[in-house]
Amino acid sequence: MAYWSVYLTSETSRDVLVQDCLNQEPQILAWLNPIVQEQIIDIACQASFDPALKAFPFEHYFECDPNDEFYGFKSWDDFFTRKFTSSIRPIAAGEDIIANPCESAPLQVVENVELNAKFWLKGHPYSLQNMMNFDPLAEQFVGGTVYQAYLNALSYHRWHSPVSGTIKKN
């Protein structure tokens, strides 16, 4: 697993961004292929009711350099966790605001959660204890609510704090 992580953060991993594999079945389009860019833009526009937004190019949505072969992405990981441009997803502010922390769709909401309640992530079970890395403070969240979301492979994969403030562990 460590090797894979090193590879995904290397320049070598960028090949999948620009190299289509059309001489095989199934054919695979590169992530920066114009067709795939259009699909990524469609996902980015799902939160809007303005169909005109889909007419803008990839670089309107994401911090990148379209004049560079790899759009300025240093690795696959850099592309996968690409940043929106500042105008695309302004984050709501205020003491009574909870924002979605990422570009996800609701999967499930579980209220009155138990410490060992099972949730599933990519076919693997996990619990409130797992989410809290087995910290004794996990007990304080028993009876609370867990919001579980789904990220599409084409979605923006950066996470932001859903509330303002500072997290402190006493």
Side-chain angles (χ1 to χ4, degrees):
M1 192 65 146
Y3 175 80
W4 190 241
S5 178
V6 169
Y7 171 73
L8 292 176
T9 57
S10 73
E11 285 189 357
T12 308
S13 68
R14 297 185 305 176
D15 289 348
V16 297
L17 300 181
V18 296
Q19 291 180 1
D20 293 324
C21 296
L22 304 178
N23 296 328
Q24 66 179 44
E25 285 298 324
Q27 292 181 336
I28 299 172
L29 298 177
W31 288 93
L32 291 172
N33 177 296
I35 295 169
V36 178
Q37 283 187 33
E38 189 176 304
Q39 292 172 348
I40 291 171
I41 290 167
D42 283 348
I43 297 290
C45 291
Q46 284 180 345
S48 172
F49 296 105
D50 184 358
L53 285 177
K54 292 182 181 183
F56 290 103
F58 187 83
E59 60 270 19
H60 174 78
Y61 297 92
F62 302 101
E63 291 182 12
C64 64
D65 178 5
N67 296 315
D68 179 76
E69 177 185 9
F70 299 101
Y71 279 57
F73 296 112
K74 297 173 186 74
S75 66
W76 158 253
D77 190 60
D78 190 35
F79 166 77
F80 195 67
T81 59
R82 63 197 170 273
K83 294 179 183 178
F84 275 124
T85 57
S86 61
S87 64
I88 293 301
R89 289 281 192 284
I91 298 175
E95 294 300 316
D96 59 346
I97 301 291
I98 298 176
N100 194 355
C102 62
E103 190 176 66
S104 61
L107 183 62
Q108 71 171 334
V109 175
V110 177
E111 296 176 334
N112 199 25
V113 69
E114 297 176 17
L115 191 61
N116 293 311
K118 284 190 179 175
F119 300 90
W120 295 88
L121 178 67
K122 297 184 179 181
H124 298 283
Y126 66 101
S127 67
L128 184 58
Q129 284 185 309
N130 295 119
M131 284 186 249
M132 301 296 293
N133 198 27
F134 298 92
D135 190 296
L137 291 176
E139 291 279 348
Q140 293 181 19
F141 295 90
V142 170
T145 301
V146 170
Y147 168 78
Q148 190 176 15
Y150 167 78
L151 278 145
N152 181 306
L154 299 175
S155 295
Y156 171 79
H157 272 69
R158 285 196 170 251
W159 289 73
H160 302 274
S161 176
V163 295
S164 62
T166 303
I167 298 171
K168 294 182 180 180
K169 183 176 179 182
N170 295 331

